[in-house]
Amino acid sequence: MTAMDWTPLPKGSFTGIDWSADGASTGHDPYLIWAETDQFAGYGLKRRPDWMPLLIELTPGTTVQQLVSASSKDWLCVPGVYTSGVAPRGFRYCTARVRPRFFKAIQAGGRLHALVGRVELGLPAGQHADGPTGVVKFAPPGDGALLRGKVLGLIDGGLAFAHANFRSGLRTRIKHFWRQDRKGFGPEPAGFGYGHELIAAGIDEVMRRNVFGGLVDETRVYQVLHAGRELDKRLNHGTHVLDVACGPRTVAASIANLPPSFDAPPSWAPAGDDASRCDIVAVQLDWATVLDTSGGSMNVHIMDGLMYILSRCARSARVTVNLSWGTLAGPHDGSSVLEAAMDELIDLEQGRLGIVLPASNSYQARTHSNTTLGKGRQAEFQWQCKPDDNTQNFLELWLPRGARGVSVQLTPPGHAPLPPLEWGESGSWNDAQGSPRCAVIYPRSVAIGANGTCALIAVAPTFAFDPLRATAPSGSWRVRLANSARNRVTLDAYIERDDQVIGVRTGARQSNFEDRWYDTSGNPGSFVDHAENRTLIRRSGSFNSIATGTRTLSVGGTRVSGPQWALYSPQNPDPVPKRRRRPGVVMVPGLDAPSDENGVLLGVNAAGTRSAGVVRMVGTSDSAPQITRTIFNAL
């Protein structure tokens, strides 16, 4: 094998930061550094974007208005909702579209350096977020149009807004609907500058014009409102979840305490609860966000979605938001920018807002490893990247504070090892044309978590239709960690989510860890998580990375009959609570609800994309809305 070496990281084409300089990466988002390293190829761009969407955390005591006043509209655009009365006093988070001048302003000596604490990249796959249109001033609906009482909010993908389960006769219960991508029908919602908004009166009018034989022609409604293509499927995630949360029938009443029966599966029970009659504000995520299951732009669009829901409600309204979405990598201690923002928003709203999230379906996906290294000790992860994967793969190594003695060495499949990289060092491994096949980005601290640091390993797709696009070898990537520090270091390795959404083929293939000691039988009673087990792969600790905050509610999946926990769900209590872990890491869901009927009949039934259609979906995405419904009814 020929000798291998790293190539220094380039100067960013957008930020202008020389990422190879000592300390340049400190405190930044490593995904931003990787995006500039591969020239935004992972986002489907042929050149750098004109504007870059970010989620921003301000320093304590700083207001969004101060940020805006200290900036120029030529290079920073904050949606007007964040400087309006919708944002509670003292809220230190906002989204923004920025141009390169912003990154000069946040450097030491810049006019924003003392104001901006952290920034996270928010680019989606396929296209960059719409640039600001200039229509960013916020004008709330008239006072009479603001929703009062109890309101249910939904942030998801694929919402069939003309479905009979979300109507009362020919009047929709979805009072405000924001589709966040370029497609769709309706004006941009004031104060956000992108996407399309529909209000109830407009939806009702189109439905009334398309009634035949006493029934709404839903397909025609979606065609008229430019929503047909993504809703021409039997199952859509957002429709299914919203039906569980507030449809005219309840899951729990139909399946609780009933024995399994294949001849006559239990039918849902009619509901007369508040949720079945409530007003709804729904946000359909940018379709590029939905397709990019790694969460490339999720933070920006979810934050804007939460502010949109609040902006359509009176201050007296009580709002419960279901967010059946998430990723797998991240700090898992509530310190990501989005999690910190949601926690602060809930706190400042003083009981007015609740946010419910699923705990994830990755418990047996082999996407989490954990180990503790004493001085002079080593550990090696075997990371299996699949062939024919048309998307990038990411592995995050999370280390606590004081772990500067840990080095990272990467060996690509079929190649000699690359040199070890120490704390604060980074590099890319390039092909003959100079395009990166992979990179290790190991900053001394990162923007995507507040405790310790993260070494990001980014790997190019293993397959590409474009012959000019860099590809990486498939197979087992060996990641060797060595600790030269005096103290023991406990670290976690998380593989980012990289699967396909329902009904869409993106070419994504989920990578995973492998080793000879892991029990692949799926036996829930195995000793995978015991400290004495030689495998580094751990089921415990596999968790939704945006559901570990202190104020949001996480929900795991259980079975109606048989062993309690669904095999794909995190469990409570943790199977091995004595295993070493990083401080603050969340391992267990706070609540649970059925996501399987039994060990054979997985999932629960709920609405298909068209009225009267019923489909089965599996996962904690269906557990979360049951808790959302319970909380909503109890308000």
Side-chain angles (χ1 to χ4, degrees), residues 148-152 314 316-320 351-353 632 635:
R148 303 180 184 277
K150 298 196 295 187
V151 179
L152 192 139
S316 61
R318 304 287 296 279
V319 184
T320 306
R352 178 189 176 221
L353 173 66
F632 182 89
L635 286 176

Side-chain angles (χ1 to χ4, degrees), residues 330-336 339 343 368 370 398-401 449-452 490 492 494 541 543-552 554 577 579-589:
H332 288 77
D333 59 7
S335 69
S336 71
E339 289 178 300
D343 279 352
H368 173 229
N370 168 276
W398 281 92
L399 302 98
R401 290 191 179 98
N451 304 311
T490 298
D492 289 287
Y494 300 104
F543 210 84
N544 182 353
S545 65
I546 65 169
T548 65
T550 59
R551 297 292 182 264
T552 54
S554 61
R579 180 163 56 83
R580 291 184 178 274
R581 64 191 66 180
R582 292 179 294 117
V585 170
V586 174
M587 316 285 280
V588 299

Side-chain angles (χ1 to χ4, degrees), residues 179-213:
R179 177 174 176 164
Q180 290 185 325
D181 56 20
R182 290 191 177 107
K183 299 177 182 178
F185 182 87
E188 293 178 350
F192 292 92
Y194 66 100
H196 300 275
E197 181 180 29
L198 296 173
I199 61 174
I203 297 173
D204 291 346
E205 175 60 26
V206 176
M207 287 194 297
R208 281 194 295 269
R209 293 202 308 264
N210 290 279
V211 174
F212 303 95

Side-chain angles (χ1 to χ4, degrees), residues 17-35:
I17 298 172
D18 181 1
W19 296 117
S20 67
D22 182 48
S25 62
T26 300
H28 283 282
D29 181 348
Y31 287 92
L32 167 62
I33 301 172
W34 167 246

Side-chain angles (χ1 to χ4, degrees), residues 286-631:
D286 186 311
W287 193 241
T289 297
V290 174
L291 295 180
D292 181 12
T293 55
S294 71
S297 67
M298 177 182 66
N299 50 13
V300 166
H301 289 301
I302 286 176
M303 191 71 254
D304 282 351
L306 289 170
M307 297 302 292
Y308 173 81
I309 292 170
L310 292 176
S311 73
R312 270 49 187 171
C313 300
R315 292 298 304 176
S316 61
R318 304 287 296 279
V319 184
T320 306
V321 177
N322 190 92
L323 177 52
S324 286
W325 217 255
T327 56
L328 301 180
H332 288 77
D333 59 7
S335 69
S336 71
V337 181
L338 178 59
E339 289 178 300
M342 290 193 293
D343 279 352
E344 184 169 284
L345 188 61
I346 293 170
D347 272 342
L348 293 174
E349 290 293 347
Q350 300 180 339
R352 178 189 176 221
L353 173 66
I355 302 174
V356 183
L357 303 104
S360 92
N361 306 326
S362 62
Y363 201 65
Q364 293 184 316
R366 288 178 283 164
T367 59
H368 173 229
S369 288
N370 168 276
T371 190
T372 298
L373 298 176
K375 181 179 180 180
R377 305 290 295 187
Q378 295 184 350
E380 185 172 284
F381 301 115
Q382 301 286 342
W383 179 25
Q384 189 73 22
C385 291
K386 305 296 196 307
D388 293 329
D389 187 349
N390 198 42
T391 57
Q392 297 177 344
N393 289 281
F394 301 104
L395 170 61
E396 295 180 10
L397 302 168
W398 281 92
L399 302 98
R401 290 191 179 98
R404 63 181 62 191
V406 177
S407 64
V408 180
Q409 185 175 34
L410 187 65
T411 303
H415 294 269
L418 288 153
L421 293 173
E422 305 288 340
W423 182 73
E425 296 181 338
S426 302
S428 65
W429 176 50
N430 296 351
D431 63 14
Q433 289 72 42
S435 298
R437 293 175 167 180
C438 73
V440 173
I441 300 167
Y442 191 2
R444 293 165 187 158
S445 63
V446 290
I448 58 176
N451 304 311
T453 192
C454 168
L456 173 67
I457 304 177
V459 174
T462 61
F463 169 78
F465 289 102
D466 184 353
L468 300 180
R469 186 176 181 185
T471 57
S474 62
S476 181
W477 292 69
R478 291 190 289 118
V479 182
R480 177 169 293 176
L481 306 175
N483 180 26
S484 62
R486 181 178 305 174
N487 301 322
R488 286 185 301 186
V489 175
T490 298
L491 58 93
D492 289 287
Y494 300 104
I495 298 171
E496 187 52 281
R497 185 181 174 190
D498 187 35
D499 56 5
Q500 299 187 120
V501 298
I502 298 170
V504 179
R505 295 183 179 180
T506 61
R509 300 194 67 192
Q510 182 67 57
S511 60
N512 60 273
F513 290 118
E514 289 188 353
D515 67 35
R516 69 184 73 177
W517 300 288
Y518 181 80
D519 179 5
T520 58
S521 69
N523 178 12
S526 69
F527 294 94
V528 167
D529 289 309
H530 284 232
E532 60 268 24
N533 191 324
R534 296 183 66 184
T535 184
L536 301 182
I537 304 171
R538 304 296 184 186
R539 294 173 185 167
S540 172
S542 299
F543 210 84
N544 182 353
S545 65
I546 65 169
T548 65
T550 59
R551 297 292 182 264
T552 54
L553 299 174
S554 61
V555 186
T558 57
R559 291 172 172 173
V560 176
S561 62
Q564 179 185 7
W565 290 96
L567 295 183
Y568 47 79
S569 172
Q571 303 177 10
N572 189 356
D574 183 52
V576 190
K578 294 182 180 179
R579 180 163 56 83
R580 291 184 178 274
R581 64 191 66 180
R582 292 179 294 117
V585 170
V586 174
M587 316 285 280
V588 299
L591 299 164
D592 61 81
S595 57
D596 292 341
E597 293 195 26
N598 52 63
V600 177
L601 193 57
L602 305 184
V604 296
N605 283 321
T609 307
R610 293 297 185 270
S611 298
V614 177
V615 292
R616 183 172 294 275
M617 191 170 76
V618 180
T620 59
S621 284
D622 268 348
S623 300
Q626 294 174 59
I627 296 298
T628 298
R629 189 172 197 137
T630 300
I631 293 171

